[in-house]
Amino acid sequence: MEKYTELLKNAYEAMDNAYAPYSNFHVGACVKTKDGKYHKGANVENASYGLTNCAERSALFHVYSLGYRQDDIECMAIVGQGNTLITPCGACRQVLVELLKRDTPIVLGTGEKVLVTNIEELMPMAFTSEDL
């Protein structure tokens, strides 16, 4: 896990920037690109709940907006608060399937709990562009 210390630190820093006045559930994410840069994202809620954006989508959309693509992403972290290990929602899993390579490490963290996984493990038999 030492390999992901800086990644997790950045994700927890991003969590502090969450805008979550309705759920009070703060989530942070960080994408590390192969050029060594860290890109943070936080959840941003909206009174019209369907317009809320999760932290992992915020971070990945930011990375793609800068011109990075799948091959440029080294790993990502998603962290939250509470006693249960945080995992991406269904919408985020679908976005991760599209924007990450299947074996890109995804580090999930909550407090002392940490799990390194990937989108293939989180969403087996995913619907992709290959299904169109």
Side-chain angles (χ1 to χ4, degrees):
M1 293 302 152
E2 193 173 315
K3 170 181 180 175
Y4 300 111
T5 302
E6 192 66 24
L7 178 72
L8 286 164
K9 177 181 167 274
N10 277 277
Y12 279 109
E13 287 174 3
M15 188 175 81
D16 291 337
N17 294 326
Y19 176 73
Y22 308 105
S23 71
N24 291 313
F25 190 76
H26 294 208
V27 179
C30 183
V31 174
K32 182 180 181 188
T33 48
K34 291 182 179 175
D35 60 6
K37 294 181 180 175
Y38 293 92
H39 308 270
K40 300 176 188 179
N43 59 317
V44 179
E45 294 182 349
N46 190 280
S48 176
Y49 296 138
L51 299 179
T52 293
N53 204 46
C54 298
E56 49 270 56
R57 283 186 281 148
S58 292
L60 272 173
F61 292 164
H62 170 73
V63 166
Y64 267 70
S65 294
L66 292 173
Y68 294 99
R69 295 296 181 260
Q70 284 182 347
D71 289 337
D72 304 310
I73 297 171
E74 184 176 318
C75 54
M76 87 175 293
I78 307 163
V79 301
Q81 57 195 57
N83 299 320
T84 307
L85 194 63
I86 186 107
T87 62
C89 71
C92 286
R93 290 177 195 224
Q94 185 63 47
V95 169
L96 295 173
V97 164
E98 180 91 10
L99 301 183
L100 294 179
K101 287 185 160 193
R102 299 281 210 207
D103 61 349
T104 299
I106 300 171
V107 185
L108 306 175
T110 301
E112 297 297 316
K113 298 175 187 172
V114 177
L115 173 69
V116 180
T117 187
N118 59 52
I119 194 56
E120 185 70 34
E121 292 176 352
L122 288 171
M123 195 165 171
M125 299 179 64
F127 179 80
T128 68
S129 61
E130 296 169 8
D131 298 309
L132 298 176

